[in-house]
Amino acid sequence: RDLHSFPTRRSSDLQLGGVSSAVDDGLSAIDRNAVNPVGGASEEREFLIRLLKSREERAWVQTLLLRDAACVLQIAVNVPGAPKRLAGDELALRRTEERIGRAVSESWSSRVYLVNAAGPAVLLAFREIGPLSLKSRAVEIEEGETWCRVMDLDVVTGTGPVSRVALGFEPRRCLLCTENSKVCAREGRHEMSALRGRAAELLLLVR
């Protein structure tokens, strides 16, 4: 595989004017509720700012990769709350990347491994494979083994992210129940400790 990488960069070093996130517009409800209130408003604000900048950094890398690619696959671990790291997250990334390699016929043209306040992520650029086909393969992996429920595989093009729902797939389910994960997060149906505990349990299943 023809692998290229970009230097590791801190979010604070980036010039991000005019680049909007292709993955998330702002912060999700579950992220806004991620910080323990006893930490104080200033600590919560600092975390949320770092998280938003980190997502902008991911979008910045996506933009660079899309200059010479048809689409980008971003692989990340969906860790509820803060911090955005759990034991086994890097192993889960490697195993998911291996599954992508087996699922698609085209080798990626560029690869970036990025670690920041949003957690670790692998970004793979593809020049020829269709984004809809890639997204279908990604959803099949997300819905495969039990531990893959904690993985996020986002396909991004020059016009934005490819939706799993637009391809006829069901929305992602909550880690703790069968409901739409976004609805549960927005309504705060589950304790953050329970969500993080379930994510940690799933990561223990990775081999």
Side-chain angles (χ1 to χ4, degrees):
R1 301 179 189 277
D2 179 21
L3 302 182
H4 304 277
S5 62
F6 293 90
T8 301
R9 304 185 65 169
R10 298 188 304 272
S11 298
S12 58
D13 294 335
L14 300 177
Q15 299 297 320
L16 296 167
V19 179
S20 61
S21 173
V23 179
D24 286 307
D25 292 324
L27 300 168
S28 67
I30 200 167
D31 289 325
R32 288 192 296 271
N33 295 326
V35 181
N36 190 329
V38 300
S42 60
E43 287 84 354
E44 179 177 359
R45 176 179 173 78
E46 179 181 351
F47 165 74
L48 294 179
I49 289 174
R50 285 191 292 110
L51 181 59
L52 185 56
K53 286 184 176 180
S54 296
R55 291 185 175 178
E56 289 175 337
E57 182 177 21
R58 287 181 178 179
W60 179 83
V61 174
Q62 292 168 9
T63 300
L64 288 182
L65 292 174
L66 285 169
R67 291 176 181 175
D68 190 37
C71 56
V72 170
L73 173 66
Q74 176 179 283
I75 306 172
V77 184
N78 180 19
V79 177
K84 294 296 184 182
R85 299 299 305 266
L86 285 174
D89 54 6
E90 292 185 346
L91 176 60
L93 284 177
R94 290 198 299 271
R95 295 293 181 261
T96 304
E97 187 176 346
E98 291 169 0
R99 282 159 174 74
I100 284 293
R102 293 194 294 267
V104 301
S105 58
E106 177 192 347
S107 298
W108 46 80
S109 57
S110 298
R111 177 186 184 276
V112 176
Y113 178 68
L114 180 66
V115 181
N116 56 28
V122 173
L123 295 95
L124 307 173
F126 293 87
R127 290 175 177 165
E128 298 180 7
I129 190 171
L132 299 183
S133 176
L134 181 58
K135 182 63 177 181
S136 294
R137 301 294 185 276
V139 173
E140 290 172 2
I141 292 173
E142 288 178 338
E143 301 296 329
E145 298 178 60
T146 301
W147 63 266
C148 290
R149 290 188 60 196
V150 79
M151 303 305 298
D152 276 339
L153 284 78
D154 297 312
V155 175
V156 183
T157 71
T159 58
V162 179
S163 167
R164 61 161 34 214
V165 176
L167 294 178
F169 294 99
E170 294 292 326
R172 294 298 297 271
R173 290 182 293 116
C174 172
L175 293 177
L176 294 175
C177 68
T178 60
E179 297 298 321
N180 185 318
S181 62
K182 291 184 178 180
V183 174
C184 283
R186 184 170 59 247
E187 297 182 359
R189 293 179 178 178
H190 308 293
E191 294 291 333
M192 187 61 63
S193 59
L195 289 165
R196 287 183 65 85
R198 179 54 177 160
E201 290 174 357
L202 291 173
L203 289 173
L204 290 175
L205 300 177
V206 182
R207 294 292 182 269

